[in-house]
Amino acid sequence: MENIPFPKRKLPLIGHALMCLVGVFSLIFLGLFVYGINLHIAIFLAVIWACGQARWIGYSLDEIRLMMNDGIAKALPAIYIFLLIGTVIASFMQSGTIASLLYHGIDWLSPSWFLAAGLILCSFMSVATGTSWGTVGTIGVVLVGIGEAMTIPLPLVVGMIVSGATFGDKLSPISDTTNLAAMSAGTSLYRHIGAMLYTTVPTFIIVLVIFVVWGMQYESHALPADQINTIRNALLSAYRLDFWITILPLLLMFTLSIKRYSAEMSMLCGVITAVLIAVSYQEKNPIDVMNALWLNSPGQTGIESIDALLGRGGIYSMAWTLLLSILALALGGVLHHAGFLEVLVKDVIKHIQRAGTLVATTILSGLLGNMAMGEAYISIILNCQLFKPVYQQQKIDRAVLSRSIEEGSTLTAALIPWTTTGTFYAATLGVSPLDYGAYAFLNLLNPLISIIMVAFGIGLLQYKK
């Protein structure tokens, strides 16, 4: 039990562990879908239930508090990103960066190719920057605005954005989850990425074809020239929209990310640049711009949907997401450190004989870890620790382990409403994972394709020490 000074670990019996997890998921499911309880309260009740089960097997209240503290502390980098993303979005709105992309993009993208082009754009952005959150918070917001103007269903648009953002986050050599999975599994970064190409590239091609075909039905949704002019004139009335000036904050953030500066530093430099442009070029009141970093105000174009989009962002706008994440992380800390997850997974692992079953179980365990602990980082580390000896025993390369962990943890995090990723996407794009999840085709299909390919012996790499 790393970093927690418990005198002796007390593991639950398998029946008790099963009862605890069934209770947690029942409280969340029944509260959310049957009784309509607020998700925060459903998670809060699950925290109380898990703490009670930990107390039952002998942990003191102080130890249980340490478990919750550690669960939250392990995800502090993600929490810092939450706060920064809020300021990135608000500052990009104030500087005219988002308005400029809307102004030019609404004329460039045809409705029939919008979904396919958006998928490629989000994939490129996230591969280059290594962050799905940064992609969603910048290009994703723009695509939501354009898609809404074209009257394409927003859950479909957001599903496309999430698919593209996740593709890059999974494969980029500068992505935190990509590096974490490789390190935790004990394989090299580029062997890990090479192993993921076996399953991710075919999935991406399938998803691209789906969005190409699906997008064709929206060919008639092209905006009339007079409506495009109305939107563009409204944006021009509220902002000065020289493309190369307004795009500077995004270009700077993009460049720093490629040069492998930390996400925090890249975002902070982007925010500072956007604030300077808002004050000097857009001639906004400096006090108003500073206050917008806390809570942005609606745009002033006179078009209600555009004004609502341009009013997004600010640290305060992340409060719903941040509070839910803290509750979910506290729950995950108890389930992890009290051993409820570990006992169940280890009992399943010892019965696994076939490689296909092992990969499927690894992916499923990643999903379960996300659901229980609310954070992909913790799920990746825990599952690598649990499954590494089994992969070595069956002579399967560690890169297959790291790939399977990513397909179970990184890909599914966006589909669960209470994970840090799911809550962030919902807060930023305005659509719940329960609504967009059915259209996040890459996240849904990649784990299934991986299991099928391994069952046929494809991508099952030979063991390397």
Side-chain angles (χ1 to χ4, degrees):
M1 197 167 304
E2 57 273 9
N3 302 326
I4 296 186
F6 293 151
K8 187 177 179 181
R9 187 112 189 251
K10 315 170 186 75
L11 289 175
L13 298 174
I14 186 168
H16 188 193
L18 182 60
M19 182 185 75
C20 178
L21 285 179
V22 168
V24 166
F25 294 137
S26 296
L27 283 168
I28 295 172
F29 181 84
L30 292 174
L32 195 59
F33 298 108
V34 177
Y35 297 108
I37 296 174
N38 179 278
L39 181 55
H40 292 72
I41 299 303
I43 299 289
F44 180 65
L45 293 174
V47 172
I48 294 174
W49 166 261
C51 290
Q53 302 311 304
R55 186 74 184 91
W56 188 359
I57 59 176
Y59 288 102
S60 70
L61 294 178
D62 286 340
E63 288 174 325
I64 293 170
R65 185 185 299 113
L66 283 173
M67 293 176 187
M68 291 191 289
N69 291 348
D70 191 66
I72 296 168
K74 277 185 167 59
L76 279 176
I79 291 174
Y80 297 147
I81 296 293
F82 269 147
L83 302 179
L84 276 172
I85 285 285
T87 61
V88 166
I89 295 171
S91 64
F92 280 24
M93 298 297 185
Q94 292 290 313
S95 65
T97 302
I98 302 298
S100 183
L101 290 170
L102 277 173
Y103 178 83
H104 297 283
I106 203 169
D107 209 17
W108 293 342
L109 293 173
S110 71
S112 57
W113 292 101
F114 171 75
L115 295 173
L119 176 71
I120 294 171
L121 183 61
C122 288
S123 300
F124 173 77
M125 179 77 175
S126 57
V127 167
T129 62
T131 167
S132 59
W133 288 21
T135 300
V136 166
T138 51
I139 299 299
V141 173
V142 175
L143 291 173
V144 164
I146 296 174
E148 188 172 21
M150 293 175 174
T151 67
I152 298 174
L154 285 186
L156 177 59
V157 174
V158 174
M160 170 270 291
I161 294 166
V162 169
S163 293
T166 307
F167 173 83
D169 193 30
K170 185 172 180 247
L171 286 179
S172 174
I174 58 175
S175 164
D176 49 2
T177 54
T178 305
N179 282 272
L180 179 63
M183 179 185 67
S184 300
T187 188
S188 71
L189 173 63
Y190 287 100
R191 185 157 180 82
H192 168 55
I193 293 173
M196 288 194 293
L197 291 175
Y198 280 96
T199 60
T200 308
V201 171
T203 306
F204 182 82
I205 293 171
I206 292 170
V207 172
L208 181 60
V209 170
I210 290 173
F211 280 124
V212 168
V213 173
W214 203 312
M216 293 303 173
Q217 66 180 292
Y218 298 109
E219 187 173 2
S220 61
H221 287 230
L223 294 176
D226 59 339
Q227 190 173 347
I228 291 176
N229 289 332
T230 298
I231 293 173
R232 298 182 77 180
N233 289 333
L235 290 169
L236 277 174
S237 70
Y239 298 92
R240 300 169 70 182
L241 295 177
D242 181 282
F243 182 76
W244 293 111
I245 294 177
T246 54
I247 206 70
L248 272 177
L250 183 59
L251 286 178
L252 177 62
M253 196 172 80
F254 184 82
T255 303
L256 291 176
S257 296
I258 290 176
K259 290 182 174 293
R260 304 200 69 171
Y261 283 84
S262 69
E264 293 89 343
M265 179 58 68
S266 301
M267 290 179 185
L268 185 59
C269 290
V271 169
I272 293 172
T273 305
V275 167
L276 292 175
I277 290 173
V279 173
S280 61
Y281 179 65
Q282 300 295 352
E283 299 181 348
K284 290 181 177 286
N285 185 304
I287 303 302
D288 291 340
V289 174
M290 291 294 104
N291 286 335
L293 298 182
W294 169 247
L295 178 61
N296 202 6
S297 55
Q300 303 295 322
T301 66
I303 301 174
E304 185 177 352
S305 60
I306 300 294
D307 287 342
L309 174 69
L310 297 175
R312 290 184 181 177
I315 293 174
Y316 183 79
S317 69
M318 295 287 117
W320 187 96
T321 304
L322 184 59
L323 291 173
L324 181 61
S325 298
I326 289 172
L327 286 168
L329 292 167
L331 171 63
V334 175
L335 294 177
H336 170 38
H337 287 299
F340 292 111
L341 281 174
E342 180 182 337
V343 166
L344 281 179
V345 173
K346 280 187 173 179
D347 185 72
V348 172
I349 287 175
K350 66 184 181 183
H351 298 293
I352 296 174
Q353 301 297 327
R354 299 176 59 185
T357 306
L358 178 58
V359 167
T361 305
T362 307
I363 292 173
L364 184 60
S365 182
L367 169 63
L368 182 65
N370 281 344
M371 294 177 69
M373 295 182 288
E375 172 54 62
Y377 295 159
I378 307 172
S379 181
I380 287 170
I381 294 169
L382 171 64
N383 282 295
C384 281
Q385 291 171 347
L386 292 175
F387 282 92
K388 191 188 297 184
V390 189
Y391 277 76
Q392 291 175 339
Q393 180 185 347
Q394 296 201 15
K395 306 297 183 186
I396 300 174
D397 195 280
R398 294 189 186 100
V400 179
L401 167 62
S402 60
R403 179 184 74 198
S404 303
I405 292 293
E406 282 236 61
E407 287 163 347
S409 300
T410 305
L411 287 170
T412 64
L415 306 176
I416 303 167
W418 56 88
T419 61
T420 53
T421 302
T423 55
F424 171 75
Y425 290 172
T428 304
L429 301 177
V431 180
S432 167
L434 298 176
D435 296 319
Y436 72 67
Y439 305 103
F441 296 120
L442 186 107
N443 305 64
L444 293 170
L445 294 177
N446 199 164
L448 296 176
I449 289 173
S450 178
I451 293 169
I452 293 169
M453 290 178 70
V454 168
F456 285 97
I458 303 171
L460 196 59
L461 306 179
Q462 294 180 346
Y463 178 75
K464 282 193 174 184
K465 291 186 179 180

